[in-house]
Amino acid sequence: GAGVSQSPSNKVTEKGKDVELRCDPISGHTALYWYRQSLGQGLEFLIYFQGNSAPDKSGLPSDRFSAERTGGSVSTLTIQRTQQEDSAVYLCASSSRVGGEQFFGPGTRLTVL
Amino acid sequence: AQSVTQLDSQVPVFEEAPVELRCNYSSSVSVYLFWYVQYPNQGLQLLLKYLSGSTLVKGINGFEAEFNKSQTSFHLRKPSVHISDTAEYFCAVSDRRGSARQLTFGSGTQLTVLP
């Protein structure tokens, strides 16, 4: 596709349930980032993938959060046992190289009831 | 570690007036600087970036920003705004030497252009 796509666009879940958020980066982009945008915390970095290197997980807020990137392309962010404070917009970005411009997807709005 | 401060959370301005959105950063290392714009219900779009060279950088939609190292600022300006510029604007930095180059964002400034 022409840009970064994310699915679903909106997700409503109940507290305690697990959710999976998907990101399709721009074809050929080797770097992929996840960010979270919430009212209280603004935009925060979560995790970064670069090629086949081990991901940089330094921004993940708890061990309930995990992410994987299969085949160097699609990425899935998983939140286990969701809490109300997990409600936010989750943004994915990709870049053709480290330090290059990051192109953002439209985000997934997660609401935990 | 870096931090970014956007001093104004909301900036209302009349159409065709000039605007300046302020951004200050704090970092113990050299950084790259960015401004992103977010229109309602859309993702972030890069307006402009400072990597090196001239401290005055020009971006899309008539925006420009000036890097001031001594004041650790990267204020965004536009000489004449349009209604369509109404959006939220984010200043961001990334560590020049970091392997990940993840972005650290400010809290955002909501620009509202009034008719």
Side-chain angles (χ1 to χ4, degrees):
Chain A
V4 178
S5 60
Q6 293 185 244
S7 60
S9 55
N10 281 283
K11 176 71 176 179
V12 180
T13 190
E14 294 179 347
K15 178 181 174 181
K17 301 282 190 181
D18 297 352
V19 295
E20 285 189 352
L21 312 179
R22 177 188 169 105
C23 171
D24 283 90
I26 293 172
S27 178
H29 279 194
T30 57
L32 187 148
Y33 304 77
W34 282 97
Y35 294 87
R36 178 170 69 174
Q37 186 174 23
S38 57
L39 282 177
Q41 302 296 324
L43 272 156
E44 307 169 276
F45 164 74
L46 296 177
I47 189 170
Y48 157 77
F49 295 90
Q50 169 61 32
N52 295 321
S53 302
D56 177 349
K57 305 179 182 180
S58 60
L60 294 179
S62 79
D63 58 9
R64 296 186 295 106
F65 287 72
S66 64
E68 63 177 19
R69 189 178 184 191
T70 53
S73 180
V74 171
S75 178
T76 303
L77 177 69
T78 301
I79 308 173
Q80 296 178 309
R81 304 181 302 281
T82 52
Q83 303 294 313
Q84 288 182 331
E85 60 263 29
D86 299 335
S87 295
V89 176
Y90 289 82
L91 293 168
C92 176
S94 71
S95 175
S96 60
R97 57 180 177 82
V98 174
E101 177 183 348
Q102 294 183 29
F103 293 84
F104 283 80
T108 294
R109 181 175 296 278
L110 175 66
T111 303
V112 182
L113 302 177
Chain B
Q2 302 95 39
S3 66
V4 179
T5 302
Q6 291 182 245
L7 296 166
D8 306 300
S9 60
Q10 305 223 14
V11 174
V13 62
F14 287 106
E15 192 174 17
E16 297 183 5
V19 70
E20 177 180 83
L21 306 183
R22 296 180 292 169
C23 172
N24 288 87
Y25 69 93
S26 173
S27 177
S28 57
V29 299
S30 296
V31 296
Y32 296 123
L33 296 152
F34 307 83
W35 274 99
Y36 281 84
V37 60
Q38 186 175 34
Y39 298 102
N41 300 314
Q42 294 187 28
L44 293 164
Q45 180 183 4
L46 182 68
L47 269 181
L48 48 77
K49 59 188 176 186
Y50 172 76
L51 304 182
S52 64
S54 173
T55 56
L56 181 64
V57 292
K58 295 187 183 297
I60 62 172
N61 301 340
F63 283 93
E64 64 181 31
E66 185 155 20
F67 169 54
N68 187 316
K69 187 174 182 179
S70 63
Q71 297 186 3
T72 60
S73 67
F74 191 54
H75 301 332
L76 181 70
R77 301 186 184 98
K78 186 169 182 178
S80 176
V81 294
H82 302 289
I83 297 287
S84 59
D85 292 324
T86 294
E88 188 146 23
Y89 292 79
F90 293 92
C91 182
V93 302
S94 70
D95 182 353
R96 281 178 176 267
R97 300 177 304 178
S99 60
R101 304 280 175 83
Q102 68 265 30
L103 297 166
T104 299
F105 288 90
S107 55
T109 297
Q110 174 64 43
L111 174 65
T112 302
V113 181
L114 306 168

